[in-house]
Amino acid sequence: MKTSTFPLLVVVVSLAIPAGAAERPMMQPLVPADNLADARALTSPLPSSPEIVEQGKTLYYGKGACFNCHGKDGDGNGPLAAQLNPSPRNFQHLGFWRHRNEGEIFWVIKNGSVGTSMVGFGGQLTDEEIWSILRYERSFAGERGPGMMEHGEGMGPMMGPGDGMGGMEQGGPRGGMGGCEGEACGR
């Protein structure tokens, strides 16, 4: 009896190719625990002005090339996103901004994020350029919701209106543990 190895090959190959990369759980800190306090203490020296946001936009699409992974609309669906696991962060997602402060995000852009494809850009971008990119990335969330936590708070208390979880109880395909997305989150 002659057996074919083709069906076995199809099974092995299909298991090796991820069906779809998932974003890291929304509540998981981006910065390693031993750097978290220092990262949360960082604050932007730049004003939140249209000029700074425009400078960040230029860097996002140019020198930083952030759009390749995070997408032209900051939705985490850039041209390279399908190849990455976990998938790039969705900057339109309010939960992303709600549960970390600007120092944490600055730290990740500068140093990278362990366990992801996010490499550090500290060798390619100045601190000022990173802060301006962060200002632009924040613009993807628009005026929906409370935005970033205040200086030093990071993933502090999360009680929202009515003593709920501030909309985070919805769970969603890109939000992961405790995350929400789409209509339920005011998107």
Side-chain angles (χ1 to χ4, degrees):
M1 179 174 185
K2 189 177 191 180
T3 60
S4 173
T5 59
F6 182 73
L8 179 60
L9 181 61
V10 169
V11 170
V12 170
V13 169
S14 67
L15 291 175
I17 299 172
E23 187 172 18
R24 279 170 77 170
M26 189 59 57
M27 302 298 287
Q28 185 175 352
L30 303 171
V31 178
D34 57 335
N35 298 108
L36 197 52
D38 290 337
R40 286 182 175 165
L42 298 171
T43 58
S44 177
L46 304 178
S48 184
S49 69
E51 295 80 21
I52 296 298
V53 171
E54 189 61 34
Q55 177 185 353
K57 179 179 180 179
T58 299
L59 291 162
Y60 183 92
Y61 294 101
K63 186 177 178 182
C66 311
F67 75 96
N68 281 318
C69 297
H70 296 285
K72 65 180 180 69
D73 298 320
D75 58 5
N77 291 316
L80 301 177
Q83 301 168 30
L84 306 175
N85 191 7
S87 63
R89 288 291 184 185
N90 176 355
F91 298 133
Q92 294 178 8
H93 195 291
L94 292 180
F96 175 79
W97 299 104
R98 191 176 291 146
H99 297 289
R100 57 206 29 92
N101 73 15
E102 65 181 4
E104 292 173 74
I105 299 166
F106 172 87
W107 193 97
V108 169
I109 295 171
K110 184 171 183 167
N111 300 292
S113 183
V114 176
T116 74
S117 297
M118 177 66 188
V119 298
F121 286 86
Q124 296 159 267
L125 300 168
T126 67
D127 287 0
E128 184 174 310
E129 289 172 328
I130 293 171
W131 285 116
S132 66
I133 288 172
L134 194 153
R135 291 278 190 235
Y136 177 64
E137 289 172 345
R138 176 63 182 100
S139 74
F140 288 122
E143 298 300 320
R144 302 177 310 248
M148 282 192 284
M149 299 297 267
E150 292 299 318
H151 169 69
E153 287 183 14
M155 288 178 45
M158 299 182 308
M159 299 309 277
D163 293 330
M165 292 293 284
M168 293 303 292
E169 64 274 5
Q170 297 297 323
R174 299 262 343 254
M177 181 181 102
C180 63
E181 184 137 309
E183 297 299 318
C185 288
R187 233 183 95 149

